[in-house]
Amino acid sequence: MQKIIAVFALVFILLVVNFSIYKKETLLENGQVVFLKLAPVDPRSIMQGDYMALRFAMESEIIKALKAKKLVGIDSHYYESIDGLVKVQLDDKNVATFVDVDSSSLRKEQQVLQYRLRKGQIKFATNAFFFQEGSRQIFEEAKYGEFRVASNGELLLVGLRDSNLEKLG
């Protein structure tokens, strides 16, 4: 009986993992391309190799709007954890600019993005971009993160772009 339960559990886990992979692949293929302006920090980790810690230019605007709507405390936002949606405006190149933390009533050129507030920082999808060791000079030019976005605001980071939105790496 234990073997049957173990087999069913394994099959269930494999189904869940494969469904998750399928969802991410579908998002990569069909998601709306959105570029977010970066405010990068570029550390190096001995254990992890080369990577770029990502910060986003619209972070201070989002935190300011959260405070104004009393969704976080004036000084306590460094200790609060919030998950939510922000509304952004897309220009003709799909570069996003912050509109509001209220994600209702979207216009055609607007998009919602899922965000997380952790330790006073806004994170979209991830807070780091890993690259091959020795490629640091290529990615130092990064000015934008390229994301694929689902209609519900879920994001996947797919690459970094320079100031002309040219793909790096």
Side-chain angles (χ1 to χ4, degrees), residues 27 30-32 85 106 111-114 149-154:
L27 179 54
N30 301 322
Q32 164 83 39
L85 296 172
L106 290 177
Q111 176 74 45
V112 293
L113 306 176
Q114 290 178 353
V149 183
S151 59
N152 67 353
E154 180 184 0

Side-chain angles (χ1 to χ4, degrees), residues 2-116:
Q2 287 181 337
K3 287 182 182 180
I4 293 172
I5 292 172
V7 168
F8 279 118
L10 179 62
V11 168
F12 178 74
I13 290 169
L14 288 173
L15 286 172
V16 169
V17 168
N18 281 312
F19 181 70
S20 176
I21 292 169
Y22 171 76
K23 281 178 51 180
K24 299 292 185 202
E25 289 292 332
T26 301
L27 179 54
L28 284 173
E29 190 174 314
N30 301 322
Q32 164 83 39
V33 175
V34 173
F35 299 104
L36 296 180
K37 188 159 180 57
L38 299 176
V41 179
D42 195 3
R44 178 177 165 81
S45 169
I46 293 172
M47 296 300 289
Q48 296 172 309
D50 286 340
Y51 73 98
M52 178 178 286
L54 300 178
R55 289 186 46 238
F56 301 94
M58 67 174 73
E59 179 178 311
S60 62
E61 294 174 276
I62 295 170
I63 291 174
K64 189 178 191 180
L66 290 170
K67 287 179 181 179
K69 294 187 182 225
K70 299 187 187 322
L71 297 172
V72 296
I74 299 299
D75 293 321
S76 64
H77 73 271
Y78 289 103
Y79 308 105
E80 297 183 51
S81 293
I82 296 175
D83 295 349
L85 296 172
V86 296
K87 185 189 316 182
V88 295
Q89 179 79 28
L90 301 179
D91 68 10
D92 59 333
K93 294 180 181 177
N94 287 346
V95 174
T97 53
F98 175 74
V99 175
D100 199 356
V101 291
D102 177 11
S103 60
S104 61
S105 65
L106 290 177
R107 293 191 306 229
K108 182 181 176 187
E109 65 281 351
Q110 293 179 332
Q111 176 74 45
V112 293
L113 306 176
Q114 290 178 353
Y115 74 91
R116 296 182 320 275

